[in-house]
Amino acid sequence: MQPAFDALRMAPLAVDAAKAFGLDQNAAVISANQLVCKMTSQDLLQGVSQPHLVAANQVHAHGARHPHQPLGPQVQ
């Protein structure tokens, strides 16, 4: 269980570091997850059932949600 705790402690620091390099929120989260996964073998996004992040501009023109977009109000 220790690698999971290490990954959870490391994640916010990795996101902050990625943002310091100029990445936007989604890119920072993905990059941080990749770093954490490489260092701890723990894929945090997969663990919370969010292996893909969906940007607001990925909603189809006809209003249908992207297959990986969470249900609920759509951000425009």
Side-chain angles (χ1 to χ4, degrees):
M1 186 78 87
Q2 187 62 36
F5 289 126
D6 291 341
L8 289 169
R9 280 193 296 264
M10 186 184 305
L13 299 172
V15 170
D16 289 345
K19 286 181 179 179
F21 285 113
L23 278 70
D24 68 17
Q25 179 65 31
N26 277 359
V29 169
I30 292 167
S31 295
N33 187 63
Q34 290 171 341
L35 175 66
V36 168
C37 189
K38 185 175 185 177
M39 296 181 76
T40 67
S41 300
Q42 301 293 310
D43 187 339
L44 295 175
L45 288 177
Q46 184 67 39
V48 295
S49 300
Q50 292 295 325
H52 305 284
L53 298 178
V54 177
N57 64 355
Q58 289 179 306
V59 176
H60 296 289
H62 54 80
R65 69 180 184 86
H66 186 277
H68 298 292
Q69 183 177 2
L71 296 175
Q74 295 180 1
V75 177
Q76 296 295 327

